Amino acid sequence: DHVARLSNRSTGQIAAHLYALLARRGVDTYVGEDPIEGMDADLFVGHFWAFAEFCRRNRFRRKVVVYPVADPGWTRQTLEPLAEEFGVPMPWWDLPPRNFDHEATMELADLVLVVGNGTVLETFPERWRAKIRVLNYAVDPSLLDSRYAPPVLPQFCYVATWCDLRKGFMDVL
C-alpha cells in the first residue's frame, strides 16, 4: 500500500482512490511525481503536470491523464485579470509550471479524466472533448475526526461558481 502525497487534499484523494481501484484489477505500481524511465505497462494513469514526460520516457499501451482543474490556458487567462482586479494573490500553486505543455499532454492521452462538471469541461477546446470524461469526488469521511466536528445546525450553504478550481477560489476570496 502506498499513501499518496498530500492525501488529505483533493488531488491526493483522487490519486489514492484511483490507485485502490486499479489495484483490484491487477498488478500496479505507484511511481510518485518524478518521471522514471524504462517502464513497460498496459496502462498508465498520471497527473497532468508530469504526464507527457512519463509517456516520453516509457512504453504504455494506454495512457490516461487526470486533470483535477480546468483547462490550464483558460485558467491562466481567466484568473490573472481577476487576481489583479480584486487585489488578491494569483494561485500559482494550483497551476502547472509555465513550461508545462498542455497541447502535447492532450495529444499523448488516450483518455482524459477531468475533475469537475460541464462548465469545467467547456473550458477545454472542443477538439479535445471527445476524449474527456468528467468525474467528481466527495469528502473522504475517513479523513474527518468526529471529535472536532462542529455541532449540527439546521443550516445549509452551497457555493457554486463557474470559476476554475472547483472551489471557486477567487470568488470566495
Side-chain angles (χ1 to χ4, degrees), residues 50-156:
F51 182 81
E53 195 60 33
F54 269 98
C55 291
R56 289 183 189 112
R57 294 181 182 197
N58 300 282
R59 185 168 170 261
F60 306 119
R61 286 170 236 356
R62 293 279 183 213
K63 299 172 290 293
V64 178
V65 64
V66 179
Y67 275 77
V69 294
D71 182 279
W74 177 91
T75 300
R76 201 176 302 271
Q77 289 174 352
T78 302
L79 294 185
E80 281 181 340
L82 288 172
E84 188 174 322
E85 178 184 344
F86 293 110
V88 295
M90 182 65 185
W92 295 115
W93 58 87
D94 243 354
L95 296 172
R98 289 214 181 256
N99 65 349
F100 167 70
D101 190 342
H102 176 49
E103 189 82 14
T105 298
M106 294 299 287
E107 284 288 341
L108 286 164
D110 296 311
L111 184 70
V112 180
L113 300 178
V114 172
V115 179
N117 54 32
T119 302
V120 173
L121 174 63
E122 289 177 15
T123 67
F124 288 83
E126 182 69 37
R127 71 181 186 279
W128 300 123
R129 293 184 195 163
K131 64 166 66 177
I132 296 175
R133 301 299 177 271
V134 177
L135 59 102
N136 218 322
Y137 67 96
V139 173
D140 184 343
S142 69
L143 297 174
L144 304 176
D145 187 334
S146 62
R147 294 176 297 170
Y148 304 109
V152 178
L153 302 172
Q155 298 176 350
F156 182 78

Side-chain angles (χ1 to χ4, degrees), residues 3-13 143:
V3 175
R5 191 170 85 80
L6 304 175
S7 62
N8 62 329
R9 296 186 183 173
S10 58
T11 303
Q13 288 181 46
L143 297 174

